[in-house]
Amino acid sequence: MHSLTTLLVASLATLALTKPVPQITTKGFSVTGTVAKPLPAYPVRLARVYEKYGKPVPSNIAAAAAAATETGSVPAIPEESDVAYLSEVNIGGQTLTLDFDTGSADLWVFSSELASSYTEGHAIYNPNKSKTAKKLNGATWKIRYGDGSGASGDVYTDDVEVAGITVKGQAVELASKVSSQFLQDPDNDGLLGLAFSSINTVQPKPQTTWFDTAAAQGLFAKSLFTVDLKQGAPGTYDFGYIDSSKYTGKITYTDINESQGFWEFTGTGYGVGDGNFQEQDIDAIADTGTTLLLMDDSIVEDYYSQVDGAEVDQQQGGYVFPCSAQLPDMILGIGSGQATIPGGLMSLGAVSRGSSSCFGGLQSNQGVGLSIYGDIFLKAVLAVFDADNKRFGFAPKSS
Ligand SMILES: *[C@@H]1O[C@H](CO)[C@@H](O)[C@H](O)[C@H]1NC(C)=O
Ligand SMILES: *[C@@H]1O[C@H](CO)[C@@H](O)[C@H](O)[C@H]1NC(C)=O
């Protein structure tokens, strides 16, 4: 893992766009630790035993399970060019706007521990102004993401509300240092990690993510969340349920391998436009914190060979093409299904304001072996992150 981290940090940094802030983000990829797997509330566990053996759940147990659980939905608002999506979170009575990231497992925030010159324009978390904050003595954290950005500081616990669901005693990591990438983006006050808690960076004892803490407190009927991102428009994160109005047809699932802490699965291949589907194993992660779709060079070259005028622009750090070009669809095989990213979603827009050159949504993963199915992919589907059943699912969005 360490070498992969180093490679991604070294290589993906070159993907930064020379365009107005904020930059393309590639979050995720942090150090590993271990955390005990959380258990849902007792009535929920009991109800699952009945379900597992195909028996009807007795009404009193179903009612207790329902009373013990919550569901909620929070908007995900895109920044310029959809480089990141931001959602509101309430921490100890203070509202911050965070980037929800399925590629990392730390909840960290701009805080009163940063010099005020660094927090201009940001909402910050000040534990001194919260009645429910408690210092987690001796705990520190430090994270570095795939795009070379990073942050570090100390830790408090507090009540954290997302989508109307309040988790008590959640570890909140206060930044006392942040890298320049975060300073350039006043709309983003930190990250809320939704990968597996095994890669949380708090030392000496790793902490659980907001989602895992909520699941451990039995707050969800189903320990899953769904992501419905949209091009240039607000989408949603839903917790604890699947909203059937958000997709059509059926959800296709594939098993995930959480050993590296990611929502990682083996894709079954890809296709470009109307061309043949190329069967091959693709080691991929579903990552809301990454702007782009990052794949092996051979696939990226295959795709852009079908785009008139496409070329690698060293200055821009990746493939660009005339904004007037017709882009083919990108097909990704997942489980028994195929997700189609329409050509219209395969561009990130002009490389700078007013330019007629556009930056590609599909770029090279720089040979690291792992493909990152970021927002370019997620905008095309309703995505299901199912922790209960250790699987990732997708379905076509309802229009
Ligand atoms: C809280 O207030 C104390 C006393 O003024 C100060 O020393 C400390 O730095 C503050 N903590 C934070 C996190 O702002
Ligand atoms: C999961 O990934 C790890 C590390 O890449 C690998 O060693 C292991 O065999 C994988 N497990 C399964 C079930 O594929």
Side-chain angles (χ1 to χ4, degrees):
M1 195 57 217
H2 184 75
S3 59
L4 176 66
T5 307
T6 314
L7 267 173
L8 276 164
V9 166
S11 58
L12 295 183
T14 62
L15 277 180
L17 276 181
T18 51
K19 69 188 298 183
V21 293
Q23 298 177 319
I24 286 178
T25 61
T26 308
K27 304 306 175 200
F29 310 106
S30 45
V31 302
T32 47
T34 49
V35 175
K37 188 174 166 291
L39 280 177
Y42 182 70
V44 176
R45 300 208 306 268
L46 203 55
R48 279 187 203 157
V49 174
Y50 283 92
E51 282 165 0
K52 181 174 170 187
Y53 294 105
K55 303 268 187 263
V57 183
S59 58
N60 59 333
I61 292 171
T69 60
E70 296 192 57
T71 59
S73 181
V74 62
I77 312 294
E79 296 196 274
E80 187 178 339
S81 301
D82 300 346
V83 290
Y85 290 81
L86 302 175
S87 300
E88 278 194 358
V89 174
N90 189 295
I91 306 177
Q94 301 164 42
T95 301
L96 284 86
T97 307
L98 306 182
D99 186 356
F100 287 14
D101 180 16
T102 61
S104 65
D106 285 54
L107 165 49
W108 73 262
V109 292
F110 270 69
S111 78
S112 50
E113 292 182 351
L114 277 163
S116 58
S117 57
Y118 289 151
T119 60
E120 222 163 280
H122 284 278
I124 60 166
Y125 170 64
N126 182 346
N128 284 345
K129 290 187 179 165
S130 165
K131 290 196 186 70
T132 39
K134 286 198 188 80
K135 174 97 169 135
L136 195 60
N137 283 321
T140 60
W141 63 280
K142 180 176 185 149
I143 197 162
R144 199 161 155 76
Y145 298 103
D147 58 359
S149 62
S152 62
D154 61 6
V155 186
Y156 281 72
T157 61
D158 207 336
D159 293 356
V160 177
E161 182 251 293
V162 174
I165 302 169
T166 300
V167 169
K168 291 191 192 305
Q170 172 61 39
V172 178
E173 304 170 32
L174 279 67
S176 55
K177 285 190 187 142
V178 293
S179 65
S180 57
Q181 291 91 334
F182 290 105
L183 298 175
Q184 292 162 8
D185 183 3
D187 296 330
N188 184 349
D189 307 320
L191 264 75
L192 185 139
L194 290 169
F196 292 91
S197 297
S198 58
I199 55 171
N200 176 269
T201 75
V202 174
Q203 298 286 350
K205 190 171 176 286
Q207 301 295 307
T208 50
T209 64
W210 176 85
F211 177 77
D212 280 350
T213 313
Q217 294 177 3
L219 293 186
F220 301 127
K222 291 189 162 73
S223 291
L224 59 76
F225 58 94
T226 69
V227 181
D228 185 22
L229 299 182
K230 302 214 156 92
Q231 185 178 39
T236 46
Y237 282 85
D238 293 345
F239 293 92
Y241 71 114
I242 299 174
D243 179 350
S244 60
S245 75
K246 289 190 170 126
Y247 68 96
T248 59
K250 71 169 187 35
I251 300 172
T252 302
Y253 288 100
T254 190
D255 290 341
I256 54 144
N257 182 340
E258 63 163 289
S259 67
Q260 302 196 81
F262 300 123
W263 291 90
E264 184 173 355
F265 56 87
T266 304
T268 60
Y270 77 99
V272 179
D274 301 330
N276 289 336
F277 184 77
Q278 311 289 321
E279 273 182 34
Q280 66 182 67
D281 284 352
I282 299 177
D283 183 9
I285 67 169
D287 183 7
T288 58
T290 289
T291 312
L292 300 169
L293 171 62
L294 302 172
M295 301 185 75
D296 288 352
D297 285 335
S298 58
I299 298 175
V300 177
E301 282 161 21
D302 187 4
Y303 182 83
Y304 288 111
S305 72
Q306 300 182 46
V307 178
D308 285 341
E311 59 178 12
V312 174
D313 181 330
Q314 295 301 347
Q315 210 190 332
Q316 299 298 340
Y319 273 93
V320 300
F321 43 79
C323 294
S324 57
Q326 282 286 339
L327 299 175
D329 296 348
M330 181 74 189
I331 319 292
L332 298 174
I334 298 173
S336 61
Q338 293 181 358
T340 299
I341 307 173
L345 291 181
M346 290 295 290
S347 170
L348 208 62
V351 295
S352 58
R353 280 201 194 101
S355 172
S356 60
S357 182
C358 275
F359 193 75
L362 169 64
Q363 300 288 350
S364 168
N365 63 5
Q366 308 288 327
V368 296
L370 185 65
S371 292
I372 303 176
Y373 291 4
D375 299 340
I376 290 287
F377 158 69
L378 292 164
K379 278 183 260 186
V381 297
L382 176 79
V384 182
F385 295 77
D386 185 345
D388 267 344
N389 299 300
K390 300 275 179 279
R391 59 187 185 170
F392 172 79
F394 75 94
K397 282 185 199 299
S398 52
S399 44

